[in-house]
Amino acid sequence: MILRRALASAVVAAVTVPTVLLTTGSAFADSKSSAQTQHRPTYAELQKNAADTKKAYDEAVAAMKAGLEKLKATMAALNEDSHPLKAARLAAEKAAKAAGIEKAAADRAVTDAKAELDAATDEAGKAEAGKALAVAEARAKNAEAAQADADARLEDARDAWSDARVAASQEYNTFSVALNKAGAAKDVAGERLAAAKECVRVPGLTVLANGLPSKVVAGTTVDFSFTVANGTERTLDVDPLVFFTLRTKQEDQHFMKVQWSNGSGWQELDSVNGPAHIAAVKALGPGARTDVKMRMTIEDKAPADKAFALLAGDASDRYNPCLLGPMKRYDFEVLPVGSKPGKTDDAKPGKVEDKDRPKPKAASNPSAQGNASSKPVAVTDTAKGGLAATGTPSAVPQLALAGGAALLLGTGAVFAVRRARGVRGTD
């Protein structure tokens, strides 16, 4: 009974605190195990799970808030004298007090009767005093029994009142436990979704130029292409990242126009505004490749200078929204108008470090990624073994993208990193 009363008092003290702190248990990301390989949730499933656990958490918060209001109302009602349990307790306290008064009076009567008996000097007086003592003792015995019964009834009434308070606090505690569980589930789901959002390096996804000359004469147009090859074991949606620039001191002029074919017409690449995604390739299967036709025109007033192109494969699959293939850099020269370069070799690809990868910017032309006018490029399946000729490295070390890192690409423009998030390796 003492424990119940102490708990009830603690609950009352807690309810009177103006602010209720809603705490959640710590959530930790699951470590890798064999069970994870049996069913890997897709990104869509992770998104749904995060949304569902967030909804459940919000509902748990609302339920706890409602539970707190109910607890306050219940405690307030139990403290009202008109509440049946409080009224029964008060009546029992009154009856117990009356029984105690009666017991005390009966005990005094016994004491007085004994004194009268001791003071009696004759037989008649002693007989009369003896009868009075017997009556007083009978009264005291009845009073003692009545007091014991009243005390028991009072204890039962107090227990019933305290039990109701404890039950109310226990009901509220179930909301707190549910909130902790919902919060932990929400945290785990959020951590898993965040992990899935991290950019992942996929060395097997390559974008390589074909027929891009190492020397281009101003005032001419050259046709070339690039190949997107999927050397991974997964089906990917690929958005090639392309950037062309002439490293001239006249930064306000570009002096070149680059176009790509979507299969039905030519789309202009807006390299002035930075790297752009072009030629979206949907569902490029493992071992598949596709070619995208390109065309570059150098204005006749273009200065003789160095130029370069950047090619990379940004992609996604059902598990990761951000997959990064290796970026290649192709350096070439722009010769003065009317030059006769003779036989010209193709530009050679050079590797670009992750920290130097430029971030694509929004393009102003219809070829911008996600534009309704852009058409996916047709995919041609090839054997996986054929990808060896593309120059894809057999192994690429895990690299981290330095958030906010920048690279001066020789034109006076500074490009932020392509992803301001960490990059994880992939099998």
Side-chain angles (χ1 to χ4, degrees):
M1 181 180 74
I2 296 176
L3 177 61
R4 285 197 298 266
R5 290 175 182 172
L7 179 57
S9 299
V11 170
V12 173
V15 172
T16 59
V17 177
T19 303
V20 178
L21 300 180
L22 306 182
T23 60
T24 59
S26 299
F28 299 92
D30 293 343
S31 59
K32 292 183 178 180
S33 64
S34 59
Q36 286 181 304
T37 62
Q38 296 177 3
H39 174 68
R40 181 184 177 189
T42 65
Y43 184 70
E45 290 172 338
L46 291 176
Q47 285 182 306
K48 184 178 185 303
N49 187 43
D52 289 346
T53 54
K54 174 62 166 58
K55 180 181 178 181
Y57 175 76
D58 291 341
E59 291 175 348
V61 170
M64 186 171 181
K65 182 178 180 180
L68 177 61
E69 295 304 317
K70 180 180 179 181
L71 176 61
K72 289 180 179 180
T74 300
M75 292 301 182
L78 285 168
N79 284 330
E80 292 290 337
D81 291 348
S82 58
H83 191 281
L85 294 178
K86 179 69 177 293
R89 194 201 76 183
L90 293 176
E93 288 175 348
K94 183 177 181 180
K97 182 178 181 180
I101 293 174
E102 171 60 19
K103 176 64 167 58
D107 289 341
R108 286 195 301 271
V110 170
T111 300
D112 293 343
K114 286 182 178 180
E116 289 290 337
L117 179 61
D118 292 340
T121 58
D122 54 27
E123 292 300 325
K126 290 181 180 181
E128 187 66 25
K131 291 179 180 179
L133 177 59
V135 172
E137 288 177 338
R139 177 188 173 188
K141 183 176 181 181
N142 290 335
E144 181 178 10
Q147 185 181 36
D149 181 67
D151 288 343
R153 291 177 182 275
L154 175 59
E155 183 175 359
D156 289 343
R158 284 174 173 171
D159 286 349
W161 183 73
S162 296
D163 288 347
R165 292 158 63 87
V166 171
S169 69
Q170 289 176 336
E171 180 182 4
Y172 174 71
N173 187 59
T174 61
F175 295 114
S176 178
V177 172
L179 179 63
N180 285 339
K181 290 182 178 180
K186 178 180 71 71
D187 289 345
V188 170
E191 289 170 4
R192 289 177 175 172
L193 180 62
K197 289 180 179 178
E198 293 180 6
C199 292
V200 178
R201 291 283 279 125
V202 279
L205 175 60
T206 58
V207 179
L208 299 174
N210 308 308
L212 176 63
S214 59
K215 297 178 181 179
V216 182
V217 178
T220 64
T221 297
V222 295
D223 289 333
F224 60 99
S225 66
F226 67 79
T227 299
V228 180
N230 181 8
T232 72
E233 295 182 353
R234 64 186 74 180
T235 296
L236 305 177
D237 290 336
V238 185
D239 289 308
L241 182 68
V242 180
F243 179 67
F244 283 76
T245 190
L246 176 64
R247 296 193 294 181
T248 174
K249 295 180 181 179
Q250 302 178 46
E251 298 176 4
D252 59 335
Q253 299 186 54
H254 199 54
F255 298 109
M256 66 168 60
K257 181 173 72 173
V258 181
Q259 297 173 295
W260 60 280
S261 174
N262 63 5
S264 62
W266 291 99
Q267 306 289 326
E268 187 169 347
L269 177 67
D270 183 11
S271 288
V272 176
N273 288 326
H277 288 114
I278 67 170
V281 183
K282 300 300 181 182
L284 187 66
R289 66 172 66 187
T290 187
D291 292 331
V292 179
K293 294 180 179 180
M294 302 287 294
R295 175 175 291 172
M296 179 174 63
T297 300
I298 307 296
E299 295 180 6
D300 54 7
K301 60 182 178 179
D305 214 325
K306 301 291 185 181
F308 66 88
L310 297 176
L311 300 176
D314 285 356
S316 63
D317 66 7
R318 61 199 302 257
Y319 302 107
N320 299 91
C322 180
L323 301 172
L324 307 179
M327 176 169 277
K328 298 297 181 181
R329 173 172 173 149
Y330 292 84
D331 290 287
F332 57 95
E333 291 184 67
V334 173
L335 304 180
V337 62
S339 297
K340 304 295 183 181
K343 184 178 180 181
T344 302
D345 296 330
D346 289 348
K348 304 299 182 184
K351 184 179 178 182
V352 178
E353 298 295 332
D354 273 349
K355 64 183 180 66
D356 299 333
R357 300 164 77 94
K359 179 181 179 181
K361 297 181 180 179
S364 59
N365 60 71
S367 64
Q369 180 187 16
N371 190 288
S373 64
S374 299
K375 298 181 179 179
V377 176
V379 176
T380 304
D381 289 326
T382 61
K384 291 184 181 179
L387 297 180
T390 64
T392 303
S394 58
V396 177
Q398 294 184 3
L399 302 174
L401 287 177
L407 171 69
L408 183 61
L409 295 178
T411 62
V414 178
F415 296 98
V417 291
R418 184 168 67 171
R419 295 284 190 269
R421 301 190 294 271
V423 176
R424 296 182 285 111
T426 183
D427 293 333

